[in-house]
Amino acid sequence: MHALDVIGDPVRRRILELLADGEVAAGEVGRIVQAEFGISQPAVSQHLRVLREAGFATVRPEGTRRLYTLDPAPIAEAAQWFTPFERFWRGPLDALGTELARGARARRRAAATQPSRVPEASAREDPAAPERPEAPRRPTRPQPPTPSTTEEH
């Protein structure tokens, strides 16, 4: 199976993401993948087997656990396949990086030239700060006239 066929499946890509952080027990992989994808434990085991057989993962027993690790060689093979196509995104990604850096630099310069503002929360904590006005009270309903307030003549 070609490396791109292996990583073309979203479940296997997720398993590779989990293994990228280091050694992970099969049970932990199963628990996460089952929760995220709603598949059975045997289905997760099948995906782990495909990754093992394709060389993406290695497994070692430790007591009753099976610990999986990522083998980076097939990942490099898949990345190599993309090399001829990099020209389609390399320029736009480089341009994006330049624009992001310019925007960050402009924000830093603008912040350096503007007087510092006191956050609203700090103003409330300052005992010398004026108190906020009390919220207006809702009008009460007019009360029906009582016998003592009405004149009977």
Side-chain angles (χ1 to χ4, degrees):
M1 185 179 278
H2 189 273
L4 294 178
D5 293 326
V6 174
I7 61 175
D9 184 275
V11 173
R12 289 192 288 265
R13 281 196 308 269
R14 180 61 177 128
I15 292 171
L16 291 173
E17 289 171 358
L18 295 171
L19 300 180
D21 291 333
E23 201 171 54
V24 183
E28 181 68 8
V29 171
R31 185 185 61 73
I32 293 169
V33 172
Q34 286 173 336
E36 291 179 9
F37 291 92
I39 62 174
S40 66
Q41 185 277 325
V44 175
S45 294
Q46 180 68 22
H47 284 292
L48 286 168
R49 186 178 67 88
V50 169
L51 291 171
R52 249 188 356 260
E53 290 176 355
F56 279 85
T58 58
V59 63
R60 73 176 181 85
E62 183 181 86
T64 59
R65 301 181 337 154
R66 297 175 60 82
L67 300 173
Y68 281 82
T69 56
L70 181 69
D71 184 347
I75 302 288
E77 176 187 333
Q80 186 64 34
W81 187 89
F82 283 109
T83 301
F85 305 102
E86 285 182 2
R87 62 188 165 115
F88 295 112
W89 64 76
R90 179 69 58 197
L93 286 178
D94 289 345
L96 175 62
T98 301
E99 288 304 314
L100 290 173
R102 283 182 183 158
R105 185 172 45 247
R107 285 189 299 277
R108 282 193 308 270
R109 286 181 180 163
T113 60
Q114 292 179 353
S116 65
R117 296 181 350 192
V118 176
E120 191 175 319
S122 297
R124 276 188 251 125
E125 293 170 5
D126 181 4
E131 289 187 29
R132 294 169 66 190
E134 208 173 292
R137 295 182 189 260
R138 292 189 342 191
T140 59
R141 284 193 218 177
Q143 298 295 322
T146 60
S148 61
T149 59
T150 59
E151 293 183 33
E152 295 182 24
H153 291 282

